[in-house]
Amino acid sequence: GSFIGYIDSLRISDTARYSGSIITPTLGDFTSDANTRLLYNFNEAPGSLTANDSSSYGLIGTLGVGFTGATSPTFVSVIPVPESRFVVILAGIICLFYMMVSRYYQQF
């Protein structure tokens, strides 16, 4: 499948960040700490085909590659607020998580 929507940030950590059944989505950029393994805040200029990792690893993600049917995203400077923002963000995180983790582990 594919994801159509907006993702503001993606962080992969080696520790649980949230607990409980109700989670309030964080708005704005995440910050890196000792537990951050990968952090994309997606602040690149519109038209960019890469995303810079703000973790201590400093990986550069190439977007729109890695599997059949992959398409390059479009960076935008303002994110429209969809009615179901949390669902869109969660679905995007799951999809992007799979792509980024696959790419991350290919380097080792």
Side-chain angles (χ1 to χ4, degrees):
S2 62
F3 171 74
I4 298 174
Y6 299 93
I7 300 174
D8 189 36
S9 295
L10 169 72
R11 177 174 53 196
I12 297 175
S13 304
D14 64 5
T15 189
R17 296 278 179 179
Y18 309 99
S19 62
S21 59
I22 299 176
I23 299 170
T24 303
T26 303
L27 300 177
D29 289 351
F30 291 121
T31 56
S32 183
D33 60 23
N35 299 106
T36 305
R37 296 294 169 246
L38 188 68
L39 174 59
Y40 292 113
N41 282 310
F42 302 114
N43 293 327
E44 287 70 24
S48 178
L49 299 178
T50 60
N52 296 314
D53 175 15
S54 297
S55 77
S56 61
Y57 295 95
L59 302 172
I60 297 176
T62 302
L63 306 171
V65 299
F67 60 93
T68 303
T71 57
S72 296
T74 301
F75 285 95
V76 295
S77 57
V78 177
I79 300 172
V81 180
E83 292 179 27
S84 57
R85 180 182 171 105
F86 181 72
V87 173
V88 170
I89 290 173
L90 182 58
I93 288 171
I94 291 168
C95 180
L96 194 56
F97 175 81
Y98 172 77
M99 294 183 326
M100 296 298 182
V101 168
S102 296
R103 184 121 175 122
Y104 177 76
Y105 283 107
Q106 287 175 0
Q107 296 182 17
F108 298 102

